């Protein structure tokens, strides 16, 4: 079906998905571009395909067509692509796996997207988003993840409840600090581990830090005070994956 009017209810519903409250209410979110749409389709998250009028992109999923004006209306980027999709959000599963990455109030969408890509690249089993972390389905996060958010379980949780529970289940809880921690190079790897990365400006909150069994840091030049959290996470996950 071809949609041509901004007054159409379905078109309005698509546009509302640019707002977090409607994503939370419906359990749906928007994606843009061939690559993201294909990643969502391959993993079963794509529920509906939205194409610009006369665009060919044959996938076995419900498909709607819109005019170029409607693409600009629905999208929240300056130069919308002619392929969009409506996706189902992930289910909130129980924590599973041996390698868990926990994020304590990561606020920058680009950082979260980068971290998700590295988590998939270096075989993390699950990502847990703590309070204060940017919305996973923020369009900037989705784009920065390059579709990797469809390839790893990602849940939200109260870290002050979750971390003591994981310790009781035999996980080693490791936080990150710029100083006064164990060198990443000397870390004794355990079969079940949790790595916690903190906020860009403040690091781990005191309450979350109190839940840690040990702290680690990345050896680097004295001329460099700290690393971007996305870069730091990538280095840590790479080292732990060896």
């Amino acid at each position: 079906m071809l949609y041509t009017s901004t007054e159409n209810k379905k078109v309005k519903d698509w546009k509302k998905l640019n707002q977090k409250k409607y994503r939370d209410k419906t359990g749906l979110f928007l994606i843009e571009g061939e690559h993201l749409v294909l990643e969502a389709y391959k993993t079963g998250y794509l529920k509906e395909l939205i194409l610009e009028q006369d665009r060919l992109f044959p996938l076995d999923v419900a498909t709607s067509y819109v005019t170029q004006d409607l693409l600009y209306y629905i999208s929240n980027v300056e130069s919308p692509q002619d392929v969009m999709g409506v996706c189902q959000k992930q289910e909130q599963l129980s924590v599973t796996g041996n390698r868990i990455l926990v994020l304590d109030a990561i606020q920058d969408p680009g950082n979260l997207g980068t971290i998700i890509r590295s988590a998939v690249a270096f075989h993390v089993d699950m990502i847990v988003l703590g309070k204060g972390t940017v919305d996973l389905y923020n369009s900037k996060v989705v784009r920065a993840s390059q579709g990797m958010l469809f390839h790893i379980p990602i849940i939200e949780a109260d870290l002050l409840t979750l971390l003591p529970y994981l310790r009781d289940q035999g996980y080693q809880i490791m936080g990150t600090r710029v100083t006064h921690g164990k060198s990443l190079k000397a870390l004794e790897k355990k079969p079940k581990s949790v790595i916690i990365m903190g906020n860009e400006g403040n690091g781990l909150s005191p309450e979350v830090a109190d839940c840690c069994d040990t702290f680690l840091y990345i050896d680097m030049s004295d001329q460099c005070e700290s690393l971007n959290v996305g870069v730091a996470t990538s280095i840590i996950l790479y080292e732990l994956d060896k």
Side-chain angles (χ1 to χ4, degrees):
M1 181 174 180
L2 175 64
Y3 294 88
T4 60
S5 173
T6 58
E7 296 303 312
N8 185 278
K9 181 182 183 303
K10 190 163 189 176
V11 173
K12 289 182 176 180
D13 287 343
W14 288 332
K15 184 175 180 61
K16 287 178 180 178
L17 294 178
N18 290 315
Q19 302 176 50
K20 183 179 184 301
K21 65 179 180 180
Y22 286 104
R23 294 194 293 268
D24 291 344
K25 180 179 179 180
T26 61
L28 302 172
F29 66 103
L30 277 177
I31 57 174
E32 297 190 41
E34 286 190 16
H35 176 72
L36 287 177
V37 167
L38 284 173
E39 292 299 319
Y41 179 73
K42 287 187 295 185
T43 51
Y45 286 99
L46 184 66
K47 298 304 175 187
E48 185 172 10
L49 184 62
I50 304 170
L51 300 177
E52 185 177 353
Q53 186 176 5
D54 298 327
R55 177 65 155 89
L56 296 178
F57 197 66
L59 296 178
D60 186 19
V61 66
T63 302
S64 297
Y65 295 88
V66 297
T67 61
Q68 186 180 72
D69 287 345
L70 283 193
L71 277 180
Y72 278 81
Y73 173 76
I74 298 165
S75 175
N76 68 350
V77 299
E78 289 186 7
S79 300
Q81 300 194 44
D82 57 4
V83 177
M84 302 176 70
V86 178
C87 296
Q88 185 73 43
K89 292 168 67 172
Q90 290 198 25
E91 296 180 20
Q92 289 295 292
L93 306 172
S94 299
V95 175
T96 184
N98 293 326
R99 302 184 63 205
I100 311 299
L101 176 62
V102 171
L103 305 180
D104 181 20
I106 299 297
Q107 296 180 329
D108 182 82
N111 284 338
L112 180 54
T114 296
I115 289 169
I116 292 169
R117 292 173 71 181
S118 294
V120 174
F122 302 123
H123 307 105
V124 168
D125 294 312
M126 174 173 274
I127 299 174
V128 179
L129 309 180
K131 182 179 179 181
T133 299
V134 63
D135 179 32
L136 173 63
Y137 302 103
N138 177 300
S139 62
K140 292 180 180 179
V141 175
V142 174
R143 290 196 298 273
S145 80
Q146 286 290 300
M148 292 301 100
L149 82 165
F150 298 117
H151 293 271
I152 184 170
I154 306 174
I155 65 170
E156 298 176 1
D158 178 350
L159 301 187
L160 301 186
T161 300
L162 177 66
L163 294 174
Y165 166 78
L166 292 178
R167 182 186 294 113
D168 291 344
Q169 298 301 308
Y171 287 85
Q172 180 185 31
I173 312 297
M174 297 181 287
T176 48
R177 281 180 174 168
V178 176
T179 59
H180 307 301
K182 293 181 179 179
S183 168
L184 183 58
K185 294 178 180 178
L187 182 67
E188 181 184 354
K189 299 174 185 178
K190 300 292 181 68
K192 298 172 70 174
S193 61
V194 174
I195 297 292
I196 312 174
M197 303 301 298
N199 173 265
E200 290 89 342
N202 302 314
L204 299 182
S205 66
E207 297 83 3
V208 169
D210 286 343
C211 296
C212 295
D213 299 320
T214 188
F215 295 93
L216 53 85
Y217 73 94
I218 300 169
D219 295 288
M220 56 187 174
S221 167
D222 293 338
Q223 294 176 309
C224 183
E225 182 178 333
S226 63
L227 295 171
N228 167 277
V229 68
V231 173
T233 304
S234 299
I235 292 171
I236 291 169
L237 296 182
Y238 170 75
E239 286 292 335
L240 294 178
D241 195 40
K242 289 182 177 179

